[in-house]
Amino acid sequence: QVQLVESGGGLVQAGGSLRLSCAASGRTFSGAAMGWFRQAPGKEREFVAAINWSGGSTYYVDSVKGRFTISRDIAKNTVYLQMNSLRPEDTAVYYCTALKGSISIPVPFGSWGQGTQVTVSS
C-alpha cells in the first residue's frame, strides 16, 4: 500500500515557475516508476511526466517538454515536478501516482494523491 501527498501548487502569473512535490510512503520496489498527471475543468485527466525510481530515466508529454522537469529524491521518497514558463493552459489539479509498464506508456497503478491546484493567471 502506498500513500501519496502532493504539495507546492498555488497561484502564479504567466511565465512564472512552481515546484510540486509528491511524498510517498509505503514500500518502494525496484523498477518502480512514478508519474504526474493533471486535470483541468471540462477535460480528461492527462499524463504529464514520468520517472523511473531507480534509474532516473524520464518521459514527458510533448506540450511540457523544455518547460517541466521531473526528478526524485530516493532518500526522501519524494518526486518533484519543476514547472517553468507556465501558461494559463497549464492551470489544473496536478496528481502523482505510481506507474506500471514502461514510462513511455505510463499506466497508473494503485492510489492517487489528493492533488494540488495550480492556477496560472494571464
Side-chain angles (χ1 to χ4, degrees), residues 35-48:
W36 288 94
F37 288 70
R38 66 187 180 187
Q39 187 166 25
K43 302 179 72 174
E44 295 183 354
R45 189 170 298 183
E46 67 170 346
F47 168 76
V48 177

Side-chain angles (χ1 to χ4, degrees), residues 67-84:
R67 300 191 298 121
F68 292 9
T69 303
I70 187 171
S71 62
R72 91 290 195 206
D73 186 326
I74 295 175
K76 295 182 178 180
N77 287 321
T78 301
V79 181
Y80 304 97
L81 186 67
Q82 178 67 46
M83 306 185 296
N84 300 324

Side-chain angles (χ1 to χ4, degrees), residues 79-102:
V79 181
Y80 304 97
L81 186 67
Q82 178 67 46
M83 306 185 296
N84 300 324
S85 301
L86 283 163
R87 306 164 180 169
E89 52 263 44
D90 294 316
T91 295
V93 178
Y94 284 70
Y95 302 89
C96 66
T97 185
L99 301 172
K100 64 179 180 180
S102 69

Side-chain angles (χ1 to χ4, degrees), residues 11 15 20 22-24 30 36 49 55 61 64 72 83 101 105 109 118:
L11 174 64
L20 307 184
C22 175
S30 62
W36 288 94
V61 68
V64 308
R72 91 290 195 206
M83 306 185 296
I105 311 174
F109 179 78
V118 171

